[in-house]
């Protein structure tokens, strides 16, 4: 059985994340998908989180409720507050992963910045790298990072958590952009409103 590791801020999880998760399970039959919400973001990538760890995990649980072979790992959230490096995440997951190489699933934007990741070569030695393509980004044929595309066209290409947060801040609907259960959770907890 193949293990697929799919990490991200999931702030909030949206329809694109759910689609990618389902496609990974479909295309890599007999797989387990482990969703890994980011802990304290690496300061080198100028990213901050809006929702709490507990809220992000709760939204992931709602978005993937009833989907077999999906787990949510809090390995990055349990670390003492320090920047989150994926090489440490792999080490924390190693007992769960067994002997085979897991698949690490990235967005194409993350793939292009992958050589800037802390100890990226150590990560490459331990995983099969797959990516989700983005329109307007062209993975260089000369890129020395071996990776496979999960699929050719991403129907949720222009959807991002930033877009959803911005819409919510403006009081606009996010119907269809996030699972209905996640939209209800966001509204019920007043997330992303006054940022």
């Amino acid at each position: 059985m193949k293990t697929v590791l799919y990490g991200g801020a999931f702030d909030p999880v949206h329809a694109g994340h759910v689609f990618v998760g389902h496609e990974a399970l479909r295309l890599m039959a007999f797989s387990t998908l482990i969703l890994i919400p980011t802990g304290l973001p690496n300061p080198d990538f100028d990213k901050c989180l809006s929702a709490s760890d507990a809220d992000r995990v709760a939204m992931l649980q709602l978005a993937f409720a009833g989907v077999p072979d999906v787990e949510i790992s809090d390995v990055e959230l349990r670390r003492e507050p320090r920047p989150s490096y994926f090489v440490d995440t792999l080490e924390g997951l190693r007992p769960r992963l067994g002997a085979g190489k897991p698949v690490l699933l990235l967005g194409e934007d993350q793939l292009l910045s992958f050589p800037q990741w802390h100890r990226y070569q150590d990560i490459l030695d331990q995983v099969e790298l797959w990516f989700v393509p983005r329109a307007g980004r062209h993975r260089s044929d000369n890129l020395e990072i071996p990776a496979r595309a999960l699929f050719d066209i991403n129907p949720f290409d222009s959807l991002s958590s930033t877009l959803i947060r911005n819409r919510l801040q403006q009081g606009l609907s996010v119907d269809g952009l996030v699972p209905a259960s996640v939209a209800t959770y966001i509204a019920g907890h007043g997330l992303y409103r006054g940022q």
Side-chain angles (χ1 to χ4, degrees):
M1 179 172 273
K2 180 73 69 182
T3 301
V4 180
L5 307 174
Y6 183 26
F10 302 115
D11 193 20
V13 60
H14 56 66
H17 295 131
V18 175
F19 174 77
V20 167
H22 281 272
E23 283 296 280
L25 287 170
R26 183 180 72 79
L27 295 169
M28 295 181 216
F30 308 109
S31 295
T32 298
L33 176 66
I34 301 178
L35 301 165
I36 308 167
T38 303
L40 185 63
N42 179 339
D44 295 338
F45 293 104
D46 193 33
K47 187 165 189 118
C48 60
L49 299 170
S50 298
S52 72
D53 294 348
D55 285 328
R56 293 183 299 125
V57 168
M59 289 185 283
L60 279 171
Q61 290 169 333
L62 291 167
F64 287 90
V67 179
D69 301 316
V70 174
E71 301 172 19
I72 300 168
S73 171
D74 65 352
V75 65
E76 291 198 6
L77 306 178
R78 287 185 278 116
R79 280 196 205 119
E80 61 184 74
R82 63 184 174 91
S84 188
Y85 297 113
F86 195 77
V87 70
D88 298 329
T89 300
L90 271 176
E91 184 64 32
L93 289 171
R94 181 58 47 208
R96 162 68 183 84
L97 298 177
K101 274 189 172 186
V103 168
L104 174 57
L105 184 56
L106 303 175
E108 190 168 7
D109 50 343
Q110 294 171 314
L111 178 64
L112 294 174
S113 68
F114 191 75
Q116 298 167 9
W117 286 30
H118 179 67
R119 294 177 47 201
Y120 80 94
Q121 195 62 53
D122 291 338
I123 298 168
L124 280 178
D125 292 342
Q126 299 177 60
V127 302
E128 292 177 34
L129 202 54
W130 289 60
F131 69 96
V132 176
R134 300 285 272 188
R137 298 194 193 228
H138 302 286
R139 180 173 184 262
S140 169
D141 292 332
N142 298 324
L143 191 62
E144 294 182 21
I145 305 297
R148 294 177 57 183
L150 183 62
F151 42 70
D152 292 329
I153 297 171
N154 181 358
F156 292 94
D157 190 66
S158 60
L159 184 56
S160 71
S161 294
T162 301
L163 171 76
I164 291 164
R165 288 193 307 270
N166 289 342
R167 288 184 64 82
L168 289 165
Q169 289 166 10
Q170 297 168 30
L172 299 173
S173 171
V174 293
D175 289 350
L177 303 179
V178 299
S181 57
V182 172
T184 299
Y185 184 93
I186 289 169
H189 290 81
L191 300 180
Y192 311 113
R193 296 287 179 199
Q195 299 174 350

